[in-house]
Amino acid sequence: MLSTPISSVAIRTPQRVAEVSWFDDLCGGDTQYLSVLDGAYRSSWAHCRDIVLKSEELGYSNILLPTSYTVGQDVMTFAAGIAPQTSRINLLTAIRTGEIHPPMLARALASLDHMLEGRLTINIINSDLPGLREVPELRYQRCAETIEILRQAWTQERIVHQGELYQFDMPADPAKPYQQNGGPLLYFGGTSEGARAVCAQYCDMFLMWPETEEMLYDTMQDLSARAAAHGRQIDFGLRIHVIVRETEDEARAYAKKLMSKFDPVKGAEIKSRAQDSWSLGVHRQNQLREHADMEGFVEPLLWTDIGKARSGAGGALVGNPDQIVEKLNRYMDMGFRAFIFSGYPLLGEADYFARYVLPRLPNVSMPHFQGRVPRETPVTPLTTAPLR
């Protein structure tokens, strides 16, 4: 825990609000017991659809649609399929830069943004392309150039870009989004030097995985200063699991139940399938567990055993409603303005969190809060702009 009084780092959204999101199972892994592959929770269209619709019904503002080359749903295909079935929830659609030719990516995302009438947010992923192991310099260069091309496509009359990887001088009309004032918000995560540099210069929300308060705060101070060097401010989000029950004893008992069938060999195998399993961020999650107590807690409420059987976010908040709300308020005091929660199994834990915690949080839609979604239908080539 932070030993000094908490004060927020410099952020874009000084108001005390939080975009509260849930997580969908597009990459597989939903289960009742960690390290156990359960066909009842497979990443099918029906299961992933049900998670989105339940999350919207429960009042979550956004839902993360993750990406990795594993058995499960393709993000863009799923997002387009589920969009007409939703009316309120935003879709945080994860995109690996390099998989789609940048102008066509800008167009595809603009089309999706129109389908959702501005309920699109984008999680930019700087990752090796499936089947490749690429040097970091190439990945970050491609990532930065792709973001710049998206920005131009969404805000300018022409895409004029002369980079190391892409060179364009072409009209931007086919890629005009529904959202205005910059287009869809860009969320970005990563611990490495290259990731921090890209986010500070180009993105809107820096996503972090669970760490101690001191570690989180240090990273936030660093990213805030980097953004300021570009004349910018960004916001911060936390991707974390959660177990909340009426009492702390019940919550801890459920955490033990999740681990009751844990197989270390199978857990390591499942974890290694993810494309980020060798990333610096996952390495830091692994290191965090080395400092946990015998029950897996590294600080009050923060349980790290969940990272033994999954890549990515490797920690969970475990406690009663008052404890969880107090912890989230501490995070908001630090400057967090978005939370992406999940739990095992996803449908059941979404209900617990919505029942005990969600009504007590200042939940907002960040695209609306930051003025990206117009009050009236915007004039674009896909709405009412003159055809030419």
Side-chain angles (χ1 to χ4, degrees):
M1 305 283 282
L2 287 169
S3 57
T4 57
I6 302 173
S7 59
S8 174
V9 300
I11 53 177
R12 180 181 296 180
T13 305
Q15 298 90 338
R16 191 179 179 79
V17 297
E19 181 180 68
V20 184
S21 307
W22 199 247
F23 179 87
D24 207 350
D25 189 40
L26 270 66
C27 297
D30 198 10
T31 185
Q32 291 190 81
Y33 300 97
L34 289 174
S35 85
V36 176
L37 296 177
D38 191 334
Y41 299 97
R42 72 174 63 245
S43 179
S44 64
W45 156 256
H47 184 50
C48 294
R49 174 203 61 204
D50 290 350
I51 293 170
V52 173
L53 298 183
K54 174 59 74 172
S55 298
E56 179 173 73
E57 176 188 332
L58 292 171
Y60 293 93
S61 292
N62 204 349
I63 186 163
L64 174 58
L65 309 180
T67 180
S68 189
Y69 189 69
T70 61
V71 173
Q73 308 294 297
D74 171 71
V75 172
M76 293 282 280
T77 307
F78 178 85
I82 198 65
Q85 300 190 39
T86 64
S87 59
R88 297 184 307 277
I89 197 167
N90 300 332
L91 303 185
L92 179 50
T93 305
I95 301 297
R96 276 193 302 263
T97 55
E99 289 188 337
I100 302 176
H101 190 56
M104 295 306 295
L105 175 62
R107 186 191 188 201
L109 292 172
S111 298
L112 184 57
D113 194 38
H114 277 84
M115 293 172 65
L116 290 162
E117 295 184 335
R119 292 183 290 111
L120 177 67
T121 51
I122 298 167
N123 182 192
I124 295 287
I125 305 294
N126 172 63
S127 172
D128 295 322
L129 298 182
L132 302 177
R133 289 298 299 270
E134 300 174 307
V135 297
E137 293 78 11
L138 169 62
R139 290 190 284 107
Y140 290 118
Q141 182 68 29
R142 183 175 63 213
C143 189
E145 290 193 31
T146 299
I147 295 172
E148 176 59 26
I149 292 163
L150 292 178
R151 186 194 66 78
Q152 290 191 26
W154 293 339
T155 63
Q156 299 181 181
E157 292 300 312
R158 297 187 66 80
I159 303 171
V160 181
H161 178 78
Q162 297 297 317
E164 294 182 22
L165 302 177
Y166 301 113
Q167 297 83 38
F168 299 114
D169 186 348
M170 58 190 294
D173 281 357
K176 285 293 171 281
Y178 189 94
Q179 293 181 66
Q180 304 296 296
N181 303 320
L185 294 171
L186 302 182
Y187 295 54
F188 190 94
T191 303
S192 69
E193 178 70 21
R196 295 180 185 218
V198 168
C199 185
Q201 184 171 359
Y202 294 106
C203 296
D204 303 293
M205 180 80 70
F206 184 69
L207 295 176
M208 304 169 70
W209 285 338
E211 294 182 326
T212 64
E213 288 185 2
E214 288 87 350
M215 295 169 72
L216 293 173
Y217 197 58
D218 285 347
T219 299
M220 294 168 76
Q221 289 176 309
D222 177 59
L223 264 294
S224 183
R226 288 172 185 257
H230 293 284
R232 308 180 69 241
Q233 287 185 324
I234 59 175
D235 283 323
F236 294 91
L238 182 63
R239 164 78 186 100
I240 193 168
H241 306 276
V242 63
I243 300 172
V244 59
R245 295 294 188 270
E246 288 190 15
T247 69
E248 182 180 12
D249 287 344
E250 289 177 288
R252 287 187 171 233
Y254 188 75
K256 291 179 180 178
K257 179 183 177 183
L258 275 180
M259 295 296 295
S260 63
K261 298 184 180 182
F262 178 69
D263 179 338
V265 174
K266 192 64 178 177
E269 178 187 328
I270 294 171
K271 183 172 179 173
S272 67
R273 294 174 183 174
Q275 285 181 271
D276 62 6
S277 59
W278 52 79
S279 71
L280 178 58
V282 172
H283 179 66
R284 283 169 65 111
Q285 297 285 282
N286 295 340
Q287 286 183 317
L288 191 66
R289 283 198 309 280
E290 297 175 2
H291 301 283
D293 64 20
M294 294 297 292
E295 293 186 324
F297 287 85
V298 73
E299 68 179 13
L301 309 186
L302 184 56
W303 180 58
T304 63
D305 279 359
I306 209 161
K308 292 180 178 179
R310 72 175 315 283
S311 189
L317 296 180
V318 180
N320 65 44
D322 288 343
Q323 290 173 316
I324 299 298
V325 170
E326 180 183 4
K327 185 70 165 177
L328 296 179
N329 274 306
R330 288 181 64 84
Y331 288 147
M332 283 188 279
D333 288 342
M334 294 162 62
F336 282 102
R337 290 297 179 263
F339 298 101
I340 304 170
F341 296 110
S342 61
Y344 293 103
L346 284 161
L347 280 169
E349 294 305 302
D351 189 69
Y352 276 112
F353 188 86
R355 186 190 321 167
Y356 291 128
V357 179
L358 185 56
R360 300 171 62 179
L361 299 177
N363 186 16
V364 300
S365 163
M366 200 56 74
H368 281 89
F369 198 80
Q370 294 201 4
R372 299 297 177 101
V373 183
R375 294 179 181 272
E376 306 292 338
T377 301
V379 177
T380 77
L382 294 182
T383 56
T384 60
L387 297 176
R388 58 185 182 182

Coordinates of all heavy atoms in Angstrom, one line a residue, residues 227-265:
A227 N 3.6 11.9 -21.5 CA 2.6 12.5 -22.3 C 2.7 14.1 -22.2 O 2.5 14.7 -23.3 CB 1.2 12.1 -21.7
A228 N 3.0 14.6 -21.1 CA 3.2 16.0 -20.9 C 4.3 16.5 -21.9 O 4.3 17.7 -22.4 CB 3.5 16.4 -19.5
A229 N 5.4 15.7 -22.1 CA 6.5 16.1 -23.0 C 6.0 16.3 -24.4 O 6.6 17.0 -25.2 CB 7.6 15.1 -22.9
H230 N 4.9 15.7 -24.7 CA 4.2 15.8 -26.1 C 3.1 16.8 -26.0 O 2.3 16.9 -27.0 CB 3.7 14.5 -26.6 CG 4.8 13.5 -26.9 ND1 5.6 13.5 -28.0 CD2 5.2 12.4 -26.2 CE1 6.4 12.5 -28.0 NE2 6.2 11.8 -26.9
G231 N 3.0 17.6 -24.9 CA 1.9 18.5 -24.8 C 0.5 17.8 -24.7 O -0.5 18.4 -25.0
R232 N 0.5 16.6 -24.1 CA -0.7 15.9 -24.0 C -1.0 15.5 -22.6 O -0.1 15.5 -21.7 CB -0.7 14.6 -24.8 CG -0.2 14.8 -26.3 CD -0.2 13.5 -27.0 NE -1.5 12.9 -27.2 CZ -2.0 11.8 -26.7 NH1 -1.1 11.0 -26.0 NH2 -3.2 11.3 -26.9
Q233 N -2.2 15.0 -22.3 CA -2.6 14.3 -21.1 C -3.4 13.0 -21.5 O -4.1 13.0 -22.5 CB -3.5 15.2 -20.2 CG -2.8 16.3 -19.5 CD -3.6 17.1 -18.5 OE1 -4.8 17.3 -18.8 NE2 -3.1 17.5 -17.4
I234 N -3.2 12.0 -20.7 CA -3.9 10.7 -20.9 C -4.6 10.3 -19.7 O -4.3 10.9 -18.6 CB -2.9 9.6 -21.4 CG1 -1.8 9.4 -20.3 CG2 -2.3 10.0 -22.7 CD1 -0.9 8.2 -20.7
D235 N -5.4 9.3 -19.8 CA -6.1 8.7 -18.6 C -5.5 7.3 -18.4 O -4.7 6.8 -19.2 CB -7.6 8.6 -18.8 CG -8.3 10.0 -18.6 OD1 -7.8 10.7 -17.7 OD2 -9.2 10.3 -19.3
F236 N -5.9 6.7 -17.3 CA -5.3 5.4 -16.9 C -6.5 4.5 -16.6 O -7.5 4.8 -16.0 CB -4.4 5.6 -15.7 CG -3.2 6.3 -16.0 CD1 -3.2 7.7 -15.8 CD2 -2.0 5.7 -16.5 CE1 -2.0 8.5 -16.0 CE2 -0.9 6.5 -16.7 CZ -0.9 7.8 -16.5
G237 N -6.3 3.2 -17.0 CA -7.2 2.2 -16.8 C -6.6 0.9 -16.2 O -5.4 0.7 -16.4
L238 N -7.3 0.1 -15.4 CA -6.8 -1.1 -14.8 C -7.6 -2.3 -15.2 O -8.8 -2.3 -15.1 CB -6.9 -0.9 -13.3 CG -6.3 -2.1 -12.5 CD1 -4.8 -2.2 -12.7 CD2 -6.6 -1.9 -11.0
R239 N -6.9 -3.2 -15.8 CA -7.5 -4.5 -16.2 C -7.2 -5.5 -15.1 O -6.0 -5.9 -14.8 CB -6.9 -5.0 -17.5 CG -7.1 -6.4 -17.9 CD -8.5 -6.7 -18.4 NE -8.6 -8.2 -18.6 CZ -9.3 -8.9 -17.7 NH1 -9.8 -8.4 -16.6 NH2 -9.4 -10.2 -18.0
I240 N -8.2 -6.0 -14.4 CA -8.0 -6.8 -13.2 C -9.2 -7.7 -13.0 O -10.4 -7.4 -13.4 CB -7.8 -5.9 -11.9 CG1 -7.3 -6.7 -10.8 CG2 -9.1 -5.1 -11.6 CD1 -6.8 -5.8 -9.6
H241 N -9.0 -8.9 -12.4 CA -10.1 -9.8 -12.0 C -10.6 -9.4 -10.6 O -10.0 -8.6 -9.9 CB -9.5 -11.2 -11.9 CG -8.8 -11.7 -13.2 ND1 -9.5 -12.2 -14.3 CD2 -7.5 -11.7 -13.5 CE1 -8.6 -12.5 -15.2 NE2 -7.4 -12.2 -14.8
V242 N -11.8 -9.9 -10.3 CA -12.4 -9.6 -9.0 C -13.3 -10.7 -8.5 O -13.9 -11.5 -9.3 CB -13.3 -8.3 -9.2 CG1 -14.4 -8.5 -10.2 CG2 -13.8 -7.8 -7.9
I243 N -13.2 -10.9 -7.2 CA -14.1 -11.9 -6.5 C -14.7 -11.1 -5.4 O -14.0 -10.7 -4.4 CB -13.3 -13.1 -6.0 CG1 -12.7 -13.9 -7.1 CG2 -14.3 -14.0 -5.2 CD1 -11.8 -15.0 -6.6
V244 N -16.0 -10.8 -5.4 CA -16.7 -10.1 -4.3 C -17.9 -10.9 -3.8 O -18.6 -11.5 -4.6 CB -17.2 -8.7 -4.8 CG1 -18.1 -8.8 -6.0 CG2 -17.8 -7.9 -3.6
R245 N -17.9 -11.1 -2.5 CA -19.0 -11.8 -1.8 C -19.4 -10.9 -0.6 O -18.8 -10.0 -0.3 CB -18.6 -13.2 -1.4 CG -18.2 -14.1 -2.5 CD -19.4 -14.5 -3.4 NE -19.1 -15.5 -4.4 CZ -18.6 -15.3 -5.6 NH1 -18.4 -14.0 -6.0 NH2 -18.4 -16.3 -6.4
E246 N -20.5 -11.3 0.0 CA -21.0 -10.6 1.2 C -20.0 -10.4 2.3 O -19.9 -9.4 2.9 CB -22.3 -11.2 1.7 CG -23.5 -11.1 0.8 CD -24.8 -11.5 1.5 OE1 -24.8 -11.6 2.7 OE2 -25.8 -11.7 0.8
T247 N -19.2 -11.4 2.5 CA -18.1 -11.4 3.5 C -16.8 -11.7 2.9 O -16.7 -12.3 1.8 CB -18.4 -12.3 4.6 OG1 -18.2 -13.7 4.1 CG2 -19.8 -12.2 5.2
E248 N -15.7 -11.2 3.5 CA -14.4 -11.5 3.1 C -14.1 -13.0 3.1 O -13.4 -13.5 2.2 CB -13.3 -10.7 3.9 CG -11.9 -10.9 3.4 CD -10.9 -10.1 4.2 OE1 -11.3 -9.6 5.3 OE2 -9.7 -10.1 3.8
D249 N -14.5 -13.6 4.1 CA -14.3 -15.1 4.3 C -14.9 -15.8 3.1 O -14.3 -16.8 2.6 CB -14.9 -15.6 5.6 CG -14.1 -15.2 6.8 OD1 -12.9 -14.8 6.6 OD2 -14.6 -15.3 7.9
E250 N -16.1 -15.4 2.7 CA -16.8 -16.1 1.5 C -16.0 -15.8 0.2 O -15.8 -16.7 -0.6 CB -18.2 -15.6 1.4 CG -19.2 -16.0 2.4 CD -20.5 -15.4 2.2 OE1 -20.7 -14.2 2.4 OE2 -21.5 -16.1 1.8
A251 N -15.5 -14.6 0.1 CA -14.7 -14.3 -1.1 C -13.4 -15.1 -1.2 O -13.0 -15.7 -2.2 CB -14.4 -12.8 -1.2
R252 N -12.7 -15.2 0.0 CA -11.5 -16.0 0.0 C -11.8 -17.5 -0.2 O -11.0 -18.2 -0.8 CB -10.7 -15.7 1.3 CG -10.1 -14.3 1.4 CD -9.2 -14.2 2.6 NE -8.5 -12.9 2.6 CZ -7.1 -12.9 2.7 NH1 -6.4 -14.0 2.9 NH2 -6.5 -11.7 2.7
A253 N -12.9 -17.9 0.3 CA -13.2 -19.3 0.2 C -13.5 -19.6 -1.3 O -13.1 -20.7 -1.8 CB -14.5 -19.7 1.0
Y254 N -14.1 -18.7 -2.0 CA -14.3 -18.9 -3.4 C -13.0 -18.9 -4.2 O -12.8 -19.7 -5.2 CB -15.2 -17.8 -4.0 CG -15.6 -18.2 -5.5 CD1 -16.6 -19.2 -5.7 CD2 -15.0 -17.5 -6.5 CE1 -16.9 -19.5 -7.0 CE2 -15.4 -17.9 -7.8 CZ -16.3 -18.9 -8.1 OH -16.6 -19.2 -9.4
A255 N -12.0 -18.0 -3.8 CA -10.7 -18.0 -4.5 C -10.0 -19.4 -4.3 O -9.4 -20.0 -5.2 CB -9.8 -17.0 -3.9
K256 N -10.2 -20.0 -3.1 CA -9.6 -21.3 -2.9 C -10.3 -22.4 -3.7 O -9.7 -23.3 -4.2 CB -9.7 -21.7 -1.4 CG -8.8 -20.9 -0.5 CD -9.0 -21.2 1.0 CE -8.0 -20.4 1.9 NZ -8.2 -20.7 3.3
K257 N -11.6 -22.2 -3.9 CA -12.4 -23.2 -4.7 C -11.9 -23.1 -6.2 O -11.7 -24.1 -6.8 CB -13.9 -22.9 -4.7 CG -14.7 -23.8 -5.5 CD -16.2 -23.4 -5.5 CE -17.0 -24.3 -6.5 NZ -18.4 -23.9 -6.5
L258 N -11.6 -21.9 -6.7 CA -11.1 -21.7 -8.0 C -9.8 -22.5 -8.2 O -9.5 -23.0 -9.3 CB -10.8 -20.2 -8.3 CG -12.0 -19.4 -8.9 CD1 -11.5 -18.0 -9.1 CD2 -12.6 -20.0 -10.1
M259 N -9.0 -22.6 -7.2 CA -7.7 -23.2 -7.3 C -7.7 -24.7 -6.9 O -6.7 -25.4 -6.9 CB -6.7 -22.5 -6.4 CG -6.4 -21.1 -6.9 SD -5.6 -21.0 -8.5 CE -4.0 -21.8 -8.1
S260 N -8.9 -25.2 -6.5 CA -9.0 -26.5 -5.9 C -8.7 -27.7 -6.8 O -8.4 -28.8 -6.4 CB -10.4 -26.7 -5.3 OG -11.4 -26.7 -6.3
K261 N -8.7 -27.4 -8.1 CA -8.4 -28.5 -9.1 C -7.2 -28.1 -10.0 O -6.9 -28.6 -11.0 CB -9.6 -28.8 -10.0 CG -10.8 -29.3 -9.3 CD -11.9 -29.6 -10.2 CE -13.1 -30.2 -9.5 NZ -14.2 -30.6 -10.4
F262 N -6.4 -27.1 -9.4 CA -5.3 -26.6 -10.2 C -4.2 -27.6 -10.5 O -3.7 -28.3 -9.6 CB -4.7 -25.4 -9.5 CG -3.5 -24.8 -10.2 CD1 -3.7 -24.1 -11.4 CD2 -2.2 -24.9 -9.7 CE1 -2.6 -23.5 -12.0 CE2 -1.1 -24.4 -10.3 CZ -1.3 -23.7 -11.5
D263 N -3.8 -27.7 -11.8 CA -2.7 -28.6 -12.2 C -1.6 -27.7 -12.8 O -1.8 -27.0 -13.8 CB -3.2 -29.5 -13.3 CG -2.2 -30.4 -13.9 OD1 -1.0 -30.1 -13.8 OD2 -2.5 -31.5 -14.5
P264 N -0.5 -27.6 -12.1 CA 0.6 -26.7 -12.5 C 1.0 -26.9 -14.0 O 1.3 -25.9 -14.7 CB 1.7 -26.9 -11.5 CG 1.1 -27.5 -10.3 CD -0.1 -28.3 -10.9
V265 N 1.1 -28.1 -14.4 CA 1.6 -28.4 -15.8 C 0.5 -27.9 -16.8 O 0.9 -27.2 -17.8 CB 1.8 -29.9 -16.0 CG1 2.1 -30.2 -17.4 CG2 2.9 -30.4 -15.0

